[in-house]
Amino acid sequence: MTTTAVAAPHLPARLGRFVLRRCPPRLYVSYGLLWVLALEGSAVTLTGTSWRPSGATAVRVVSVVLVLLFLRMLDEQKDLAHDRVHHPDRPLVTGAITGAELRGAMAAITVVVAGLNAVLSATAVLLILAVLGYGLLLAPLERLAPAVRDRPLLGLAVAGPVQLLLGGYVYGSLVAAGAVSADRRGAVLLVLCACVFLHLEFARKTAWETSPGAGLYSSVLGPRGAAGVTVGLAAGAVACEALLFAPRGPLALLPCLAVLFPVHGARRFLAEGRGAWPVSTAVAFVAVTHLALAVRAMLLP
């Protein structure tokens, strides 16, 4: 009996433990769900059409969550050498999961998301596969250009387009379905979502102290510089919201109140002068902004 045959019955459990450890559903599913509802709902209502979630919405939510899982699995493999030194308890390092098992799961995810989006349109299939394809390009790129891995801001500039492509999938699939027409408001909406995500990304990697292998943005920009960028990204999201929704009345601007979380985070970080940015304030900003946009889309004309 081969090792593969012995291991196969245990694979679902091994993958399940990996997901619970490295891709907690309460975070990944919540983020994917709220992001898609906010983006789709806002895009549709900006055309003057009422919006309610549909079966197509569910396909987009599942696709986004699965792509986030795919990218997490890819990152685990890309970062293996780094994790052996700085994170020896990670599943891939300890052998709790293998690279071959992760690649098999990634192949299965590719088949599932392509099949799901075939129900929507050929355009949706191409857009979602483009996200996966770009993600796969990052691994050989980091091998060929180590600076992409070693320099945090360069790495962000190279990997950042994955988020824009994933947002472009949601918006582009709506365009292909005839639910919206591509225009500048769509571009502003994608920038809004990118600013929300990047606010959390910078908050996660901003601290007064620098630890080996942490890849902090504050190690390059300085704590105050990174804090300024973190707050600036939240302000950029609010500016995009105002640009899109101000003509629809003051109630349409309620999502902008989520900026209070980054303001509170900045005050705590700068006042304490030590430790890391209070990431809970950034998580709250992401969750409240997306939730408020989704609710606004369902309640306001």
Side-chain angles (χ1 to χ4, degrees), residues 21-22 79-91 93-94 212-214:
R21 172 85 183 277
R22 300 298 297 144
D79 298 340
L80 179 57
H82 177 274
D83 288 344
R84 282 181 174 140
V85 176
H86 300 287
H87 304 285
D89 61 334
R90 296 257 170 103
V93 178
T94 63

Side-chain angles (χ1 to χ4, degrees), residues 39 42 46 164 184-196 232-248 252-253 255-256 259 285 289 293 296:
L39 178 50
S42 297
L46 282 170
L164 284 174
R184 70 176 186 85
R185 292 175 300 182
V188 175
L189 193 54
L190 292 177
V191 171
L192 188 165
C193 292
C195 285
V196 171
L233 288 164
V238 171
C240 289
E241 290 177 65
L243 180 62
L244 289 171
F245 303 121
R248 296 171 181 266
L253 293 176
C256 294
V259 77
F285 175 70
T289 297
L293 287 171
R296 187 210 64 80

Side-chain angles (χ1 to χ4, degrees), residues 51-73:
W51 172 79
R52 290 292 183 275
S54 64
T57 308
V59 169
R60 295 183 184 104
V61 170
V62 173
S63 297
V64 166
V65 171
L66 287 176
V67 168
L68 293 175
L69 176 56
F70 178 101
L71 295 173
R72 179 69 264 162
M73 291 177 170

Side-chain angles (χ1 to χ4, degrees), residues 7-269:
H10 304 289
L11 179 57
R14 289 162 65 86
L15 286 171
R17 287 191 292 269
F18 171 83
V19 170
L20 291 174
R21 172 85 183 277
R22 300 298 297 144
C23 323
R26 69 183 184 279
L27 297 179
Y28 278 66
V29 174
S30 298
Y31 176 70
L33 172 65
L34 292 176
W35 182 20
V36 172
L37 293 182
L39 178 50
E40 180 181 312
S42 297
V44 173
T45 55
L46 282 170
T47 68
T49 305
S50 61
W51 172 79
R52 290 292 183 275
S54 64
T57 308
V59 169
R60 295 183 184 104
V61 170
V62 173
S63 297
V64 166
V65 171
L66 287 176
V67 168
L68 293 175
L69 176 56
F70 178 101
L71 295 173
R72 179 69 264 162
M73 291 177 170
L74 179 64
D75 282 346
E76 289 293 305
Q77 296 169 81
K78 288 198 300 96
D79 298 340
L80 179 57
H82 177 274
D83 288 344
R84 282 181 174 140
V85 176
H86 300 287
H87 304 285
D89 61 334
R90 296 257 170 103
L92 195 56
V93 178
T94 63
I97 197 80
T98 68
E101 289 168 339
L102 290 180
R103 289 189 291 275
M106 290 164 63
I109 288 173
T110 302
V111 172
V112 170
V113 296
L116 283 173
N117 284 277
V119 176
L120 300 183
S121 66
T123 299
V125 175
L126 292 174
L127 289 172
I128 200 70
L129 291 180
V131 181
L132 301 182
Y134 188 87
L136 289 171
L137 285 175
L138 295 177
L141 180 60
E142 287 187 8
R143 286 196 298 271
L144 293 172
V148 173
R149 181 185 63 251
D150 299 334
R151 295 167 58 184
L153 293 177
L154 179 59
L156 178 63
V158 172
V162 172
Q163 282 290 130
L164 284 174
L165 286 171
L166 197 49
Y169 150 73
V170 175
Y171 188 78
S173 65
L174 289 168
V175 173
V180 302
S181 298
D183 57 24
R184 70 176 186 85
R185 292 175 300 182
V188 175
L189 193 54
L190 292 177
V191 171
L192 188 165
C193 292
C195 285
V196 171
F197 166 76
L198 288 171
H199 169 74
L200 175 60
E201 172 68 11
F202 264 81
R204 288 175 53 243
K205 297 183 178 181
T206 293
W208 287 97
E209 301 85 18
T210 300
S211 56
L216 301 178
Y217 301 124
S218 52
S219 66
V220 180
L221 300 173
R224 288 184 175 82
V229 173
T230 304
V231 173
L233 288 164
V238 171
C240 289
E241 290 177 65
L243 180 62
L244 289 171
F245 303 121
R248 296 171 181 266
L251 286 178
L253 293 176
L254 285 177
C256 294
L257 293 177
V259 77
L260 294 176
F261 292 105
V263 170
H264 176 61
R267 289 181 62 184
R268 278 184 56 186
F269 179 75

